[in-house]
Amino acid sequence: MKKPIRLARAQATLSPRLQEIKRFAKGHADTAKLAGVVIHVDLDAVTDENYERVRRRITEEMRATFKECCPSALALAAYEMEAWLMLFPEAFPKVKPGWHLKETERRRDLGQIVKAKEHLVKCLGKPPYSVSHAPKIMEEAVKGGHVTARPVGKNRSYLDFAEEMAGWKAS
């Protein structure tokens, strides 16, 4: 969807927002079977008790909304998607040869990095990382076979998402 729909901070308006996503998905599934719905949300917070509450609330609403049409999964990235990208350090030099993550960055709990995007900019140096690089980094991670349910690095929000996806049944 090109129009962003804010879910992480939605309280009483979460259900109507999910219904909008459901209508969009079903409307685009008229020529093929809808395999499922994945919703990405940058949490803008680290993995803590609040993360658990937000994940539980959104996941329960998603299951209720999509139960009769398809499976769903929440990609609730803590702090931001860049913390997930850092799970695949081998992909960065494939996008920009000078980009390398230090070993200390690879070993830390990436779900605890506040403002992961800014952190990544600082770690990579020149040329500066921007959000527009993210799809290419992920593409290189997939091409290199680095995207697995259990990557070497640590980020609980990624593992929670991978676990949800593993629960989908092939049909």
Side-chain angles (χ1 to χ4, degrees), residues 31-46:
T31 58
K33 183 177 184 234
L34 181 60
V37 172
V38 174
I39 297 176
H40 165 254
V41 178
D42 276 343
L43 181 62
D44 294 338
V46 297

Side-chain angles (χ1 to χ4, degrees), residues 15-128:
S15 184
R17 293 171 188 208
L18 290 173
Q19 288 296 333
E20 182 179 346
I21 293 168
K22 181 179 176 181
R23 283 189 300 277
F24 177 86
K26 288 178 94 174
H28 283 79
D30 54 357
T31 58
K33 183 177 184 234
L34 181 60
V37 172
V38 174
I39 297 176
H40 165 254
V41 178
D42 276 343
L43 181 62
D44 294 338
V46 297
T47 48
D48 59 9
E49 317 79 50
N50 183 55
Y51 161 81
E52 296 207 24
R53 281 191 298 275
V54 171
R55 173 171 264 301
R56 189 173 33 256
R57 185 174 57 80
I58 295 175
T59 300
E60 287 171 3
E61 289 269 355
M62 285 175 63
R63 286 187 182 136
T65 301
F66 298 105
K67 69 181 172 196
E68 73 264 354
C69 75
C70 62
S72 63
L74 175 61
L76 182 61
Y79 190 93
E80 299 161 319
M81 181 55 75
E82 282 70 16
W84 284 19
L85 294 176
M86 292 172 71
L87 289 168
F88 316 110
E90 300 84 359
F92 288 91
K94 301 282 186 195
V95 175
K96 299 288 179 185
W99 283 357
H100 295 282
L101 290 176
K102 294 179 181 167
E103 192 60 37
T104 54
E105 294 303 319
R106 296 173 185 222
R107 286 193 304 259
R108 69 186 295 182
D109 183 349
L110 301 168
Q112 296 297 311
I113 298 175
V114 176
K115 298 190 178 193
K117 194 175 300 150
E118 288 86 347
H119 182 82
L120 189 57
V121 168
K122 189 176 97 182
C123 288
L124 294 177
K126 302 286 182 190

